Amino acid sequence: TEIRYCIAVNESEKYKDIKLKSKVFIGRLPKTISKTDLLKYLSQFGEVVEFTQSQHPVTNQPKGYGFATFAEQSSVDRFLSK
């Protein structure tokens, strides 16, 4: 799996009550990658508590980007350093 572009996104207001640390945007994903494979890849950096992959509303095909929320900031640091 190759992730070509990612940035850290600040903590979202809706997650403050459950104290999640960090959410990352993952762009330029291959449209053929499965959610299962992507979660398996991301999990090597730490616990992924949420992942959403954007899909086209009519065709239901992946748009090539998504968001992952890790439980710990250190997981994001490991992910971004790779």
Side-chain angles (χ1 to χ4, degrees):
T1 301
E2 178 185 354
I3 297 176
R4 298 178 184 160
Y5 180 73
C6 60
I7 58 171
V9 178
N10 288 338
E11 187 176 356
S12 172
E13 282 295 319
K14 72 178 186 175
Y15 296 120
K16 286 189 186 270
D17 58 326
I18 52 177
K19 302 195 187 306
L20 296 178
K21 302 279 183 166
S22 297
K23 187 173 195 174
V24 292
F25 166 80
I26 306 168
R28 301 181 74 183
L29 291 171
K31 293 184 179 186
T32 56
I33 193 167
S34 72
K35 184 175 181 176
T36 302
D37 288 342
L38 191 54
L39 284 172
K40 183 178 176 182
Y41 173 77
L42 293 171
S43 293
Q44 70 181 315
F45 304 105
E47 180 185 0
V48 178
V49 294
E50 181 181 59
F51 176 76
T52 57
Q53 189 172 14
S54 184
Q55 296 182 328
H56 189 278
V58 175
T59 65
N60 211 28
Q61 295 295 314
K63 287 184 168 183
Y65 67 91
F67 295 90
T69 304
F70 289 94
E72 300 290 331
Q73 177 64 41
S74 59
S75 300
V76 173
D77 296 339
R78 283 191 297 274
F79 174 71
L80 294 176
S81 70
K82 199 82 161 145

